[in-house]
Amino acid sequence: MSARWTQERALLGGLILDGTQVPEIAAELTPADFERPQHGNLFALLVEMAEAAIPDLVTVCIEIERRNVSDYDGIAYVCSLGNDCPSVENLAVYASRIRGDGRRRTIATATATLKEAIAPGAAIDNAVASFVGVVEASTIEQADPSMPGHRHADTVASDGFAEIQARA
């Protein structure tokens, strides 16, 4: 299991243990920020449930049973998430890191897509404008520019841009 997945599990488990934090974390994250689609699905469910009442393990499991259980990796998996949260006091830190990871994945995906789209001799202006738009959208509202993840996102973008220019 990757460290990113462990972090996602800790956040989701913490939100199940302390559902009062869901609105605050939802202001920072989207389901797309999660690497595992099932984690994104569970986060979306927690946010949806928090709009009506504070979610907890029992209510989350009941709701998952009403839906497609495999979209969330099953009841047993969801029940185990609370064991992976060392402290609900660190949920904002986990969310910030997950958000940064999600943005870096978005930039890397955009870079790969542009690399494939640029054929030798093709006009580069539209591709570069598209790439810059993705990078700007992915780095706007970065939680903390002094965090290592922020510099990494800039490096990914710069490296991708340099490679695209080299192909032109």
Side-chain angles (χ1 to χ4, degrees):
M1 180 181 329
S2 76
R4 289 184 305 277
W5 288 8
T6 300
Q7 190 166 258
E8 290 180 7
R9 288 176 55 90
L11 176 68
L12 293 168
L15 292 175
I16 290 170
L17 293 172
D18 183 3
T20 63
Q21 292 193 51
V22 172
E24 176 186 341
I25 300 301
E28 293 287 323
L29 285 178
T30 69
D33 290 324
F34 289 84
E35 184 174 16
R36 294 196 69 228
Q38 295 87 345
H39 288 170
N41 293 342
L42 181 56
F43 180 71
L45 175 65
L46 292 171
V47 171
E48 178 187 326
M49 291 180 69
E51 292 173 4
I54 297 171
D56 62 23
L57 183 59
V58 173
T59 58
V60 169
C61 289
I62 289 169
E63 189 60 30
I64 287 172
E65 282 185 334
R66 292 182 50 216
R67 300 176 184 219
N68 185 359
V69 174
S70 64
D71 287 346
Y72 309 95
D73 271 344
I75 299 293
Y77 181 80
V78 171
C79 287
S80 73
L81 292 174
N83 298 328
D84 292 330
C85 182
S87 170
V88 295
E89 294 175 11
N90 291 326
L91 298 186
V93 173
Y94 303 151
S96 176
R97 291 179 178 165
I98 290 167
R99 180 174 165 218
D101 289 343
R103 302 249 161 120
R104 284 187 292 282
R105 277 192 308 279
T106 299
I107 291 169
T109 300
T111 301
T113 301
L114 285 173
K115 287 178 189 176
E116 291 175 10
I118 296 177
I124 193 168
D125 291 340
N126 290 339
V128 170
S130 192
F131 179 75
V132 169
V134 169
V135 170
E136 287 175 352
S138 295
T139 57
I140 284 177
E141 301 175 11
Q142 180 72 25
D144 182 357
S146 67
M147 289 183 69
H150 181 76
R151 287 189 297 279
H152 179 67
D154 289 344
T155 302
V156 169
S158 296
D159 291 350
F161 183 72
E163 187 169 333
I164 289 168
Q165 282 186 318
R167 293 176 119 198

